[in-house]
Amino acid sequence: MRFAFAALCLVVAACGETRAVRDEPQAARELSGRYVAASDTARYYTGDLSIERAGLMFSKGAILYTRTLEPRRGYDLTAQAGDSYAAIAVGTADLHVELRRVTDVTLREGAPSLCGDDRPEYAALVYEERATRVTVLVFTGEEPPSSAATQSRLCATFGFNAPHGARTQEGVVL
């Protein structure tokens, strides 16, 4: 009887540990690779996208040099009383959100500005686990998009697709 009770306690304890691990924030994961413009705004303003560790390079000439910040979740809000990343990207709450601080912007001759007269300050890469589609959200304002933000404003949304299969941490899955 004591053995059965001890075994039951171990099983319950193991279940509790598994639940705690699932509730922890996801480890930082940086997306990379080439994506094809999928939305009308991306085709018109940016062209295709190359995601690199140092920034986002658009084929129509805009380059955002970036620094990766703490990852966000799809259900996180982008501003006080604002929408979540998932609502803006039209996805589920379990989307991955890679938030990046824009450190510098370069516009080659003829490249349109991504935020009109304002300077892009933050870019969020929003995607599902397999990253077959990536939505890039561009924000202006000095403070990062968050539930406490009052000076952050969404200025552009661009959609991109992986050209050949799904992207994972291990590479491309066809």
Side-chain angles (χ1 to χ4, degrees):
M1 183 69 135
R2 286 184 188 168
F3 177 73
F5 179 73
L8 179 63
C9 288
L10 287 174
V11 169
V12 170
C15 290
E17 288 177 18
T18 302
R19 199 173 310 117
V21 170
R22 286 186 192 143
D23 291 341
E24 289 179 11
Q26 297 173 353
R29 171 182 162 193
E30 289 188 13
L31 193 62
S32 65
R34 185 177 165 273
Y35 287 83
V36 177
S39 66
D40 289 339
T41 53
R43 282 190 287 276
Y44 181 76
Y45 287 102
T46 66
D48 296 343
L49 168 66
S50 179
I51 302 171
E52 299 182 10
R53 185 171 190 204
L56 309 175
M57 298 186 335
F58 299 97
S59 65
K60 290 203 173 188
I63 301 172
L64 301 179
Y65 296 96
T66 62
R67 179 177 46 88
T68 304
L69 303 175
E70 286 293 317
R72 305 297 200 265
R73 295 169 296 256
Y75 57 80
D76 288 340
L77 297 180
T78 60
Q80 278 186 2
D83 289 326
S84 67
Y85 289 99
I88 296 169
V90 189
T92 62
D94 63 345
L95 290 172
H96 296 273
V97 180
E98 182 181 316
L99 185 62
R100 294 177 174 211
R101 171 81 164 140
V102 177
T103 57
D104 196 16
V105 178
T106 299
L107 298 174
R108 291 191 314 239
E109 188 175 324
S113 172
L114 301 182
C115 289
D117 292 337
D118 295 326
R119 182 186 186 281
E121 296 292 341
Y122 294 90
L125 308 177
V126 184
Y127 56 95
E128 292 179 346
E129 180 65 32
R130 293 181 62 131
T132 57
R133 178 170 172 78
V134 174
T135 302
V136 176
L137 308 176
V138 184
F139 296 87
T140 62
E142 285 300 315
E143 61 187 347
S146 72
S147 60
T150 60
Q151 302 298 314
S152 182
R153 183 180 62 82
L154 177 69
C155 66
T157 303
F158 305 107
F160 301 91
N161 289 330
H164 303 292
R167 309 246 178 216
T168 68
Q169 287 182 308
E170 290 76 35
V172 177
V173 178
L174 299 176

